[in-house]
Amino acid sequence: MLELSKLPLKTNLTITDNKVTPKLDLIIPCCNPPEGWVGQMTADFRELQALMPGTDIRLILVNDGSVRNMHSVMLQELTNRIPGIRIIDHPVNRGKGYACRLGVAVSDAPYLVCTDYDFPFGVEAVKRAFDKLLDGVDVVAGSRGHQYVALLPPTRKMITRVNRLMNRYLLQLPVADAQAGLKAFNTRGRMEFLSTRIDGFLYDSEFVKRAGRNKTLSIQSIPISCRPDIRFSDFRSTVLLREFVNFMGLLVK
């Protein structure tokens, strides 16, 4: 369990040439990425930097127990290509929720964005989420809409539709699409994020539920679209069973 009392709570800003530069930590969980992921991540990160020249962006990569395509040579290559990157090499796979919390826990930036290693919604979505935070929103959630569902393989499509219905009518979440892999929050939203306990994919729903119950937090969603080359993975039956148990836990809380 993460010890909240030991986590950094500073809201650092970089000051250069008498200008205040906002700091953003980009949290990227990663497990068994495909071949060529280092080059793609580097290109995406540089594109994001070019899109946000007035922002001090640091990438925090969390290796969640990968067994392939994550050896030391690749990590060194990534370090050489992206100055200032922080890599957390967790030896055991614990799940996306745990990996994201680990990355958020070591962050000391006032603004954070969590997304996937392949930037599935493009770098523009990251900027739009960040802009919302600068406008004073505490928690920003990406919403994939019907376009995303249409792209899914049949099994994933059914799971997604059922999940959205359950989130809306059973959990009564304040956003329509809690499971989109893009979340942004400031230091106020950060404490709710670190209070989540689900290690798997439903950490998103848990975070949105907790944030929605905190009436002092403002929450907004932004429309996001998938990149044309996005890859969809299949869920194993054991994963589905685990997430169903997690959902039931959310329902009774």
Side-chain angles (χ1 to χ4, degrees):
M1 181 182 299
L2 301 173
E3 298 182 45
L4 301 186
S5 62
K6 296 183 179 180
L7 301 180
L9 295 177
K10 296 181 293 183
T11 56
N12 297 334
L13 296 174
T14 301
I15 302 178
T16 56
D17 299 329
N18 296 321
K19 295 181 180 179
V20 177
T21 302
K23 290 186 65 177
L24 167 66
D25 275 349
L26 193 61
I27 314 299
I28 307 285
C30 193
C31 181
N32 299 328
E35 294 285 348
W37 70 277
V38 171
Q40 185 61 57
M41 179 177 288
T42 301
D44 288 334
F45 185 75
R46 290 175 178 172
E47 182 182 352
L48 181 64
Q49 286 183 311
L51 192 64
M52 302 168 61
T55 304
D56 181 7
I57 310 173
R58 177 175 63 163
L59 195 154
I60 299 178
L61 175 72
V62 183
N63 173 26
D64 184 28
S66 296
V67 296
R68 62 177 182 272
N69 296 333
M70 190 69 79
H71 50 72
S72 58
V73 174
M74 286 183 170
L75 297 181
Q76 184 59 53
E77 181 182 358
L78 196 63
T79 300
N80 295 338
R81 292 186 177 191
I82 303 180
I85 187 175
R86 177 159 185 182
I87 299 175
I88 302 174
D89 196 9
H90 197 270
V92 180
N93 178 259
R94 288 287 301 271
K96 187 177 180 181
Y98 185 88
C100 285
R101 278 196 301 275
L102 196 55
V104 171
V106 304
S107 168
D108 62 357
Y111 306 108
L112 301 95
V113 174
C114 296
T115 191
D116 297 327
Y117 72 90
D118 55 350
F119 290 83
F121 312 109
V123 298
E124 295 85 359
V126 174
K127 182 182 185 302
R128 286 190 287 114
F130 177 69
D131 288 342
K132 285 288 185 181
L133 296 180
L134 292 182
D135 289 340
V137 179
D138 296 307
V139 176
V140 182
S143 180
R144 296 165 292 187
H146 298 294
Q147 175 260 0
Y148 166 78
V149 179
L151 293 174
L152 291 173
T155 301
R156 282 285 298 270
K157 186 178 298 186
M158 179 186 66
I159 293 172
T160 298
R161 285 174 172 167
V162 171
N163 177 257
R164 289 187 179 185
L165 289 173
M166 294 170 73
N167 284 342
R168 179 178 180 181
Y169 293 106
L170 297 181
L171 295 183
Q172 299 182 340
L173 299 183
V175 299
D177 183 16
Q179 295 306 121
L182 179 69
K183 298 291 184 298
F185 41 91
N186 57 20
T187 52
R188 284 159 45 80
R190 177 178 183 264
M191 295 310 297
E192 290 295 347
F193 191 92
L194 289 174
S195 297
T196 61
R197 291 293 177 266
I198 292 177
D199 289 346
F201 292 104
L202 279 185
Y203 80 96
D204 278 313
S205 293
E206 183 184 12
F207 172 51
V208 171
K209 182 179 180 181
R210 290 189 63 92
R213 285 183 170 181
N214 187 339
K215 301 306 179 183
T216 68
L217 296 181
S218 59
I219 306 172
Q220 289 187 18
S221 61
I222 58 171
I224 54 178
S225 300
C226 298
R227 294 169 66 152
D229 57 346
I230 189 172
R231 304 177 182 181
F232 297 107
S233 58
D234 293 325
F235 289 131
R236 301 188 303 272
S237 57
T238 53
V239 173
L240 293 177
L241 178 59
R242 181 191 66 199
E243 296 305 327
F244 177 76
V245 172
N246 286 333
F247 181 88
M248 296 306 295
L250 286 177
L251 191 60
V252 300
K253 285 184 179 179

